[in-house]
Amino acid sequence: MDIHVVRAGETVSSVAARYGVPAGILAGVNGIAPDAPLAVGQTLVVRRPRELHTVASGESVYSIALRYGLSARTLYQNNPALGGRSALYPGQTLVIAYDDTPTRTLAVNAYSYPFIRGGLLDAALPYLTYLTPFTYGINADGTLLPLADEWLLAAAGQYRTAALMHLSTLTEEGRFDNARSTLILEDADAQDALVQSILETVQARHYFGLDVDFEYVLPEQREAYAAFITRLREALNPLGCPVVVALAPKTSAAQRGLLYEAHDYALLGAAANAVFLMTYEWGYTYGPPMAVAPLTQVRAVLDYALTVVAPEKIFMGIPLYGYDWPLPFVSGETRAESLSPVQAVERALRHDIAIQYDAAAQAPYYHYTDRGGREHAVWFEDARSIEAKLRLADEYHLQGVGYWNLTRPFPQNWAVLASLFDIETLL
């Protein structure tokens, strides 16, 4: 795999010719049209096909995969232009193998809201070990808030993607509330009822495991939270179901703040089968303009986490989005707009702005002026920033990565992932 940074005057065809790859395949890998305009500074993922197949009448994804000894998932991974869909036409060219065949296996999780578009979900599922529908919250009486997850679970099953039930302290209003965690951690009857509901839901909906995300837990409930995770693991592991716990991004055990103090990496790392480090949101809606997941900060969290949690138990979080901040930034007033990496590139193109790259943060950014004369700062992810994060996961020998979240399209992410890793399949 190569990552090409577009220069002035370049086109998909000229870049394809430079690397000796078909323009249609280069476009498909990057999720763009062969005649799509390119922004200066935009990245293109270049994968060189080693073996191609021309579709004949009557052939299907499954028959072609069988012919070459591949799984349908692998054929979809090699041909992102299919979008995970099985429709083929005679004469269509499919990639059977690339020169950059990966050798290391990585577990890949991704979170999704139920309102995700079907095409976006289908395109992502072949690249996932786990899909985690977001979220089962907790009612004021301790019972589970329902989640319309049926279609997500059905889709995951079609692509041999395991599903994790997601439990959080999200309320009916969609906010994290430590009153809900307090209820569960301090009321034995409420905890008993919740654990029973979780067991019933996991079994009835055939979830592979459980992902727990209690945020803003009171500091004095640090040990009680770890004990609750231990109880869940002891209840679910006999069913073959692992328990994952989400952790706020800490760089030391002494880190202060309501988001961090009850997330004891050592205790929770021992209590759960795996941990998910939420290594993103340094740049966020109400904060000053900066990268969402600067590599220096992500590395610092991993350096601390690995002092108390084994690497084979760690999932590293990766964002699939960016932000657009109107300037000047005013603390408490400025609100950034969330946008996909695709939208970020389109915005740079529309305003004829060259995309820059911050080598320290390992993230792309640019500034532009809107029609009203107001300046904006945009930070997002591209193929370079994703490669840097995935290579960090490899460097630290982590079990896997977890993406937040699938509702923002980012085709290049999957191209980079598939070029670097063989994605673990459990079903």
Side-chain angles (χ1 to χ4, degrees):
M1 175 194 70
D2 288 302
I3 296 176
H4 179 81
V5 181
V6 174
R7 295 175 295 192
E10 289 187 316
T11 65
V12 172
S13 295
S14 69
V15 174
R18 173 178 175 176
Y19 289 92
V21 301
I25 289 176
L26 177 65
V29 165
N30 290 276
I32 58 178
D35 60 351
L38 302 176
V40 173
Q42 176 182 352
T43 55
L44 291 175
V45 178
V46 182
R47 301 189 71 188
R48 295 174 177 82
R50 187 174 71 243
E51 185 173 9
L52 299 173
H53 175 84
T54 301
V55 177
S57 179
E59 287 189 311
S60 68
V61 167
Y62 298 94
S63 69
I64 295 169
L66 182 64
R67 173 178 174 177
Y68 290 96
L70 303 175
S71 67
R73 277 173 60 99
T74 300
L75 194 59
Y76 281 132
Q77 291 169 14
N78 289 346
N79 296 275
L82 293 177
R85 302 294 178 88
S86 58
L88 301 178
Y89 59 86
Q92 185 174 5
T93 299
L94 298 182
V95 178
I96 302 303
Y98 291 97
D99 285 342
D100 55 14
T101 303
T103 56
R104 193 200 152 185
T105 299
L106 188 75
V108 180
N109 183 27
Y111 298 84
S112 179
Y113 289 98
F115 56 74
I116 185 173
R117 290 186 284 112
L120 198 54
L121 182 64
D122 287 338
L125 281 170
Y127 301 90
L128 302 181
T129 310
Y130 306 101
L131 174 70
T132 305
F134 188 87
T135 174
Y136 282 87
I138 300 173
N139 279 305
D141 62 1
T143 57
L144 281 175
L145 277 169
L147 178 67
D149 55 4
E150 293 86 355
W151 86 275
L152 291 175
L153 298 178
Q158 291 177 0
Y159 292 88
R160 297 179 60 210
T161 300
L164 298 178
M165 177 183 174
H166 190 268
L167 175 71
S168 73
T169 48
L170 218 66
T171 67
E172 300 88 338
E173 292 77 30
R175 296 190 301 270
F176 286 100
D177 183 3
N178 56 25
R180 304 296 163 91
S181 54
T182 294
L183 172 68
I184 299 305
L185 299 179
E186 296 188 357
D187 185 320
D189 291 337
Q191 185 174 128
D192 289 345
L194 180 63
V195 171
Q196 184 59 37
S197 293
I198 292 168
L199 288 169
E200 291 172 357
T201 302
V202 164
Q203 292 176 294
R205 297 184 182 267
H206 304 290
Y207 271 110
F208 187 87
L210 176 70
D211 182 335
V212 183
D213 180 14
F214 280 20
E215 301 191 18
Y216 306 107
V217 179
L218 299 177
E220 59 268 26
Q221 294 168 343
R222 176 177 61 92
E223 293 184 358
Y225 185 35
F228 175 59
I229 298 299
T230 298
R231 180 179 180 183
L232 289 171
R233 190 196 74 231
E234 291 174 347
L236 286 165
N237 281 186
L239 302 177
C241 300
V243 173
V244 182
V245 63
L247 301 178
K250 296 175 65 168
T251 56
S252 76
Q255 190 164 333
R256 294 290 171 250
L258 186 59
L259 189 62
Y260 309 102
E261 292 181 54
H263 282 196
D264 187 305
Y265 277 32
L267 288 179
L268 292 169
N273 298 106
V275 302
F276 171 61
L277 304 180
M278 294 183 281
T279 39
Y280 42 77
E281 287 289 277
W282 279 274
Y284 65 104
T285 304
Y286 298 103
M290 64 181 296
V292 176
L295 202 71
T296 49
Q297 300 283 13
V298 175
R299 184 181 287 277
V301 173
L302 288 172
D303 285 339
Y304 165 61
L306 287 165
T307 65
V308 289
V309 183
E312 61 269 18
K313 295 184 74 170
I314 294 176
F315 283 79
M316 180 187 76
I318 299 178
L320 293 178
Y321 60 94
Y323 287 107
D324 180 328
W325 286 265
L327 300 177
F329 172 79
V330 179
S331 181
E333 295 182 15
T334 300
R335 178 187 174 92
E337 174 194 359
S338 176
L339 75 174
S340 72
V342 172
Q343 289 173 309
V345 171
E346 291 172 346
R347 197 161 294 184
L349 191 61
R350 186 164 62 250
H351 291 278
D352 195 23
I353 296 294
I355 297 168
Q356 309 296 316
Y357 194 74
D358 187 297
Q362 288 288 299
Y365 71 96
Y366 60 86
H367 290 75
Y368 74 94
T369 301
D370 64 25
R371 292 180 178 178
R374 188 167 189 179
E375 187 180 1
H376 291 247
V378 178
W379 287 83
F380 60 108
E381 303 291 331
D382 69 3
R384 293 168 291 185
S385 67
I386 289 297
E387 181 188 27
K389 292 175 178 63
L390 290 173
R391 291 200 182 279
L392 197 60
D394 186 42
E395 175 188 340
Y396 284 92
H397 306 289
L398 305 182
Q399 178 181 348
V401 296
Y403 289 100
W404 179 264
N405 68 73
L406 292 180
T407 54
R408 300 289 193 183
F410 188 15
Q412 285 190 344
N413 168 74
W414 310 117
V416 174
L417 175 66
S419 73
L420 296 177
F421 295 100
D422 180 27
I423 298 156
E424 184 177 12
T425 305
L426 300 173
L427 301 181

